[in-house]
Amino acid sequence: MRSIAIIGAGQGGLQLAFGLLSDGYEVTVYSDRTPEQIAAGRLPSSNGLFGRAVARERALDICFWDGEPPLIEQTDAKLTDPEGHLAVEFTGRFAQYGQSVDQRLKFSTWLEAFAGRGGKIVYGAVDLAGLDEIAAVNDLTIVAAGKGEIAKIFSVDQTRTTYQRPQRSIGMISLINTEHPAPDGVSYNIRPGVGEAFGIPMLTAAGPAVTWVMEALPGGPMDRWSQATTAEEMLELTKRTFADFFPWEMARYTEAHISDPNGWLCGAVPPLVREPIALLPSGRKVVGMADVLVLNDPCCGQGANNASTHAEVMHRLILDRGSQPFDETWMQATFDRFWDQAQYPTKFTNTMLAFNNPGSAPPEHAMELLATATQVPEVAHRFANAFNDPSDLESFFYDPELTTRYLAEARARHELRLRGRADLSAAGGKG
């Protein structure tokens, strides 16, 4: 039985651990916190999983909240002009529903379930010396602790890293006692020169919530999150942000309050890509995964989905390896296979950041596509589903010629559908 150590108990590490355990591997997960500590900790992420990632959890029998509301069934997008007046507004439905479960609830439950299925868990922080000792006694050691210091042993890949510093100052808060419409979905707002705000329906220990991720241009008028030192201050800042920049969101949150005293977080994310292999002092090598290697700004909600994708890739390649050694060539291949998919959400995220960065503006063809989405439902739905599969954007979003061709075809189909409905209505009237 081959032994595999996974450093980190997040989306990617735990998903992979469950998969390998079910296939008969000896799996040890190293978590720096116990389930109780995770459950009592700070809100770590918005953690919106789209349909493909939810399906992976379902296949592993770890989708413990499958179908439990609130679900992510659509995206309600709003884009203003520079003065703050709504310029574009549309709703796109997802072909498969997504879901967000508070990671404090999710990961604490997953750790207990993993132990219940026979997996081994070691609690406590892992430093470089400890990592070397772990690598010495396992066939493969995987570092999946993207937010920990140990991730820094992996060098930054400058050829794939677009930004050298965080592009947004971020405030996040989980609100309960809010309206949950049916169908429910992500509220996605873009305010030029200010930033973005997106609300994600989330299941928390306190019940259904909406977790808001508010991304301010650094130094801009919405860059106020450093003022928050308590949950009450964060709630007040959030409501003031709605009033100042996204007033259409205010009515829904008049009576809202925070899910729990730790249901908020402020900070910044440096988008980067790292090299997949780290050399330890002993000469042993370990491989990274998920946001250890590809860390995107949360503006397109791709972080947990990337982690899910990488876990699936790693799982499959470990199985394919059989009894052969997990050498450097194999480690590099795991990343290359992952990057075949991760390049698309990375490009999508960086493109959407550029839409609203100082000195840049959305390309005309992209704005035409978003404007068309207000009139042609097919375009709205396709753009929304790109959050689930960003590779589709290559065929209609980035290239002006492809965009023009797609929009012409979509408009023609829309007109045909309208004529068909008119003909049926007329025929019914005659009958």
Side-chain angles (χ1 to χ4, degrees):
M1 183 184 298
R2 307 199 79 178
S3 61
I4 296 177
I6 299 174
I7 316 301
Q11 178 69 44
L14 284 174
Q15 180 183 315
L16 176 60
F18 276 109
L20 293 174
L21 187 67
S22 69
D23 287 317
Y25 288 83
E26 181 184 315
V27 186
T28 304
V29 170
Y30 291 79
S31 173
D32 62 349
R33 293 178 297 165
T34 65
E36 293 77 17
Q37 289 171 327
I38 292 172
R42 276 291 189 94
L43 179 70
S45 169
S46 55
N47 186 42
L49 289 182
F50 300 111
R52 295 190 301 171
V54 172
R56 294 184 190 112
E57 293 186 357
R58 191 177 295 122
L60 293 170
D61 194 24
I62 56 173
C63 196
F64 297 151
W65 303 269
D66 198 4
E68 187 172 341
L71 302 174
I72 301 172
E73 299 184 79
Q74 62 187 35
T75 290
D76 299 309
K78 294 180 176 68
L79 171 66
T80 77
D81 62 20
E83 287 71 42
H85 305 113
L86 280 175
V88 173
E89 181 178 0
F90 63 85
T91 295
R93 293 193 306 271
F94 291 110
Q96 305 166 285
Y97 70 73
Q99 190 175 39
S100 177
V101 177
D102 186 333
Q103 289 182 332
R104 296 172 297 175
L105 171 63
K106 185 177 190 177
F107 297 160
S108 60
T109 302
W110 272 9
L111 278 169
E112 292 176 350
F114 182 71
R117 294 184 188 183
K120 181 181 178 182
I121 306 171
V122 177
Y123 293 107
V126 175
D127 58 15
L128 186 59
L131 182 61
D132 218 338
E133 293 174 0
I134 292 167
V137 296
N138 285 279
D139 295 304
L140 174 64
T141 299
I142 301 167
V143 179
K147 294 181 174 66
E149 284 295 311
I150 205 164
K152 296 178 181 178
I153 66 174
F154 296 88
S155 302
V156 174
D157 181 348
Q158 297 294 348
T159 65
R160 290 188 169 111
T161 298
T162 300
Y163 299 109
Q164 299 303 312
R165 59 182 64 86
Q167 297 299 293
R168 297 292 187 270
S169 171
I170 302 172
M172 183 170 62
I173 187 170
S174 186
L175 300 176
I176 57 176
N177 198 34
T178 69
E179 176 190 353
H180 287 270
D184 208 346
V186 177
S187 300
Y188 198 94
N189 303 287
I190 301 176
R191 176 79 179 263
V194 174
E196 303 84 20
F198 48 100
I200 301 172
M202 178 185 284
L203 180 64
T204 73
V210 180
T211 294
W212 277 91
V213 180
M214 297 160 287
E215 301 214 332
L217 292 172
M222 199 171 81
D223 188 0
R224 53 184 58 167
W225 312 120
S226 62
Q227 301 172 30
T229 60
T230 66
E232 291 73 20
E233 289 176 351
M234 187 63 190
L235 178 59
E236 177 59 30
L237 282 174
T238 299
K239 292 185 176 182
R240 194 193 316 161
T241 296
F242 290 154
D244 291 346
F245 306 113
F246 311 104
W248 51 86
E249 298 289 0
M250 290 176 59
R252 185 179 176 188
Y253 298 97
T254 302
E255 303 299 326
H257 50 90
I258 195 165
S259 61
D260 62 277
N262 284 322
W264 64 286
L265 190 69
C266 300
V269 175
L272 53 81
V273 180
R274 291 189 174 104
E275 300 287 351
I277 303 168
L279 181 66
L280 302 179
S282 65
R284 301 182 186 93
K285 295 181 176 67
V286 294
V287 64
M289 70 170 290
D291 55 2
V292 169
L293 303 185
V294 178
L295 185 60
N296 288 327
D297 185 278
C299 70
C300 292
Q302 296 300 309
N305 294 277
N306 265 354
S308 172
T309 298
H310 204 170
E312 180 183 53
V313 168
M314 190 75 79
H315 184 190
R316 184 169 60 250
L317 293 183
I318 289 172
L319 291 178
D320 291 346
R321 196 62 175 169
S323 60
Q324 299 179 68
F326 299 112
D327 56 19
E328 185 172 353
T329 300
W330 179 86
M331 291 180 178
Q332 182 65 49
T334 65
F335 177 78
D336 294 341
R337 188 77 64 86
F338 169 56
W339 184 251
D340 286 344
Q341 300 181 58
Q343 62 178 309
Y344 300 114
T346 300
K347 182 177 180 178
F348 183 30
T349 300
N350 290 339
T351 298
M352 296 306 291
L353 284 173
F355 267 31
N356 209 4
N357 275 351
S360 63
E364 289 185 12
H365 71 277
M367 286 305 299
E368 182 186 3
L369 184 141
L370 297 179
T372 303
T374 67
Q375 302 170 334
V376 181
E378 174 194 328
V379 177
H381 301 331
R382 188 170 184 183
F383 184 74
N385 280 278
F387 286 81
N388 183 40
D389 182 9
S391 67
D392 186 43
L393 293 164
E394 297 291 328
S395 60
F396 75 95
F397 187 60
Y398 300 119
D399 184 282
E401 291 185 9
L402 293 178
T403 301
T404 299
R405 184 187 311 159
Y406 167 64
L407 293 181
E409 294 170 351
R411 291 188 188 105
R413 286 189 290 268
H414 182 61
E415 291 298 324
L416 186 61
R417 286 190 290 269
L418 291 178
R419 286 199 299 272
R421 282 199 290 268
D423 290 345
L424 285 172
S425 178
K430 291 177 180 178

